[in-house]
Every structure is written in structure tokens, then in C-alpha cells.
Amino acid sequence: EIGGRAIRLLLDLGEGEIDVFAAVVRPAERAACGFFRGPGIDDIVAILTRTDNATEADARRAAMASGNHIGRARHLLHHQESQIRRTNILNLAELIFHGSQAFQAVTSLVKTATDEAKNSLAETNEQELEKLRTALGMGAKGRGAHKALRGSAGQIKELEKLQKRRETRAIRDALDTQLVDLIGIYRDALMIAAHAQVSPIHPDMQGLAGELSTIGEPNLLACIEAISHCRDDITHNVRAETAMDAMVGRIRKACNVQ
């Protein structure tokens, strides 16, 4: 069981085990389990240079930041804002040790996710509303048109509720992706602390992972648990900023930050 979800079916092919539920296992969760196999950095670089016309340097940078996930690597390659979001959430692990800066960073992360979700959906929302208004005959004149419009307010309100739910999901998905990245840096630190010979999720952030490893394995596990708790809280309708503030508080406690 990973993150409360059953991940049980495996095929043993002799050379190693291959998961058949890979599509439902997040990159950080996959990397935390030795029996999951994914493409290596060099494999992703080869794919991106061949299919996306990327330079080897850009492809390698995206591959190293992707958690060995080709779709994530491709998105990072083509969207600079995704690279910035990843850098900001990973920097949160450092800001934990700098007074109130981590709480300020959380406020900024939530605001950015909210603004981006609204902006990305604004055009689609307006198009849907315009189509509904047209279908309802809004703007038409005459007695029949006036009668038809009486019930239109309810339909428009229902569409707006649907759009609001979609926006909320988009915000949650964006924050969840960032929280998975944050789990990854603490997982890397845990592997260093345990002297485990496994590939890091964030090979470009091994300096930070090494510094975090000094807080010890029990505290690193507490940090990972705090992030997982935050993900669950956001899923269960806890206000995002409240959930992430609580997460920062728990991580600070695990790191013995006064």
C-alpha cells in the first residue's frame, strides 16, 4: 500500500519486477520503492533530443528534474514556469531553517497556483458561458424570448458552480505536484542518511539533500509524513494555505527549528 492506495500486482520476469499499476503511482512514490523500474536519465535525454529537438544540455536538465518521468521532463523542457515552480517548492526545504520565510513562501506558492489556475481556465470558462447564453437565447427580443429567459439564471449558476469546482481541482493538482517534488527531496535526504545506494529523485539538488540528511532518519520520515498529511488535507477540502502552514509547522518541529 502506497499513500493509502493498494499497489499489489507485480510481474516477476527474473531480471527484476515490473509494476503493472505504474500509471497510478506517482514519481516520488515509485522512486521510494526499489521494485519499481523507470527510464533512466540518459534514456529520457535520448527521447527528448530525438522527439522534441532539444539540445542535450536542456534535455538533461529537464530529465534530472523530472523524477525519471518522461511526461514531466517534457513539460519542464517546454514550460519555464514549471521549472520555476519546482525550484520554489524545493527551496522551501531550505527556508524551513530561516525563521518565518517558509510561511511567507507558502503564501506565495498558493497564490501563484491559484492565479495560474484561474488564468489557464479563463478563456474556456468564458466560451462555455457564451455558448450557454446563445443556447438560451439571451439577447433575443419578444414575448417568447422573455419567457424562455426566466429559467436561464439557474442554468448559468450551475455552469458557474461547475467551473468553480474545475478551478479548485486545478489548484489542488498544481499544489499536489509541487508537494510530490517536496517529498522527493526529503526522500533523497533519507536515502543519503541510510547510506542506501539508490538513484536520487532530484539529482540536481543533492547538495540540499545532503544538508537535510543530517537531521537523521526519524526526523526525515516525520517530514515526509507531514507533507503526506498536507496532501490529504488539501484533498479533503482543508483550505490550501492552512494545510501548507500546518505542514511547515510540522516540518519545523521535525527539524528542531526554534
Side-chain angles (χ1 to χ4, degrees):
E1 188 172 294
I2 301 176
R5 295 175 297 140
I7 307 294
R8 294 191 179 91
L9 295 183
L10 298 172
L11 299 177
D12 188 348
L13 302 182
E15 299 269 332
E17 294 169 314
I18 300 176
D19 66 287
V20 297
F21 283 160
V24 299
V25 183
R26 300 181 181 96
E29 296 168 340
R30 185 185 306 118
C33 304
F35 51 78
F36 286 108
R37 300 290 183 261
I41 297 296
D42 290 337
D43 298 323
I44 295 176
V45 171
I47 292 171
L48 294 179
T49 53
R50 185 176 68 251
T51 63
D52 292 71
N53 297 319
T55 66
E56 183 169 351
D58 288 343
R60 187 165 297 279
R61 190 179 303 112
M64 291 178 68
S66 69
N68 288 18
H69 190 286
I70 181 61
R72 182 82 191 284
R74 182 169 283 122
H75 193 74
L76 288 166
L77 178 67
H78 295 294
H79 299 87
Q80 186 177 8
E81 64 274 14
S82 296
Q83 300 174 28
I84 295 172
R85 283 196 298 269
R86 173 181 176 269
T87 298
N88 289 341
I89 191 66
L90 293 180
N91 282 342
L92 185 63
E94 171 64 30
L95 295 178
I96 290 292
F97 300 95
H98 296 273
S100 64
Q101 291 185 40
F103 293 106
Q104 295 169 6
V106 160
T107 299
S108 178
L109 288 168
V110 174
K111 183 179 185 304
T112 298
T114 301
D115 290 345
E116 289 181 353
K118 288 182 177 180
N119 291 336
S120 66
L121 294 171
E123 184 176 352
T124 299
N125 288 347
E126 184 55 37
Q127 289 175 350
E128 290 176 346
L129 282 169
E130 187 59 33
K131 287 180 180 179
L132 180 58
R133 293 187 187 106
T134 300
L136 293 171
M138 298 184 73
K141 296 181 180 180
R143 184 182 303 173
H146 180 71
K147 184 177 180 179
L149 288 175
R150 290 176 183 173
S152 64
Q155 295 183 54
I156 291 175
K157 191 171 291 292
E158 282 301 312
L159 177 58
E160 289 174 340
K161 287 181 180 178
L162 177 65
Q163 292 175 344
K164 181 63 177 178
R165 288 196 295 269
R166 184 167 58 199
E167 179 185 299
T168 299
R169 286 197 302 270
I171 294 169
R172 289 176 179 173
D173 288 347
L175 291 174
D176 191 68
T177 297
Q178 293 180 68
L179 291 172
V180 168
D181 280 338
L182 187 60
I183 284 179
I185 194 66
Y186 286 103
R187 175 269 186 191
D188 286 352
L190 179 62
M191 296 300 100
I192 293 172
H195 305 290
Q197 301 300 312
V198 297
S199 299
I201 295 175
H202 300 296
D204 57 331
M205 300 292 286
Q206 285 302 279
L208 176 58
E211 294 175 5
L212 293 172
S213 70
T214 61
I215 69 174
E217 295 176 42
N219 291 333
L220 289 167
L221 287 170
C223 292
I224 292 172
E225 180 61 29
I227 303 168
S228 297
H229 198 310
C230 178
R231 295 176 68 195
D232 289 340
D233 282 348
I234 292 174
T235 300
H236 290 91
N237 294 323
V238 176
R239 186 167 171 264
E241 192 168 339
T242 300
M244 294 186 73
D245 280 341
M247 174 193 73
V248 168
R250 293 187 182 100
I251 294 176
R252 281 167 57 89
K253 182 177 179 180
C255 294
N256 297 314
V257 176
Q258 301 299 320

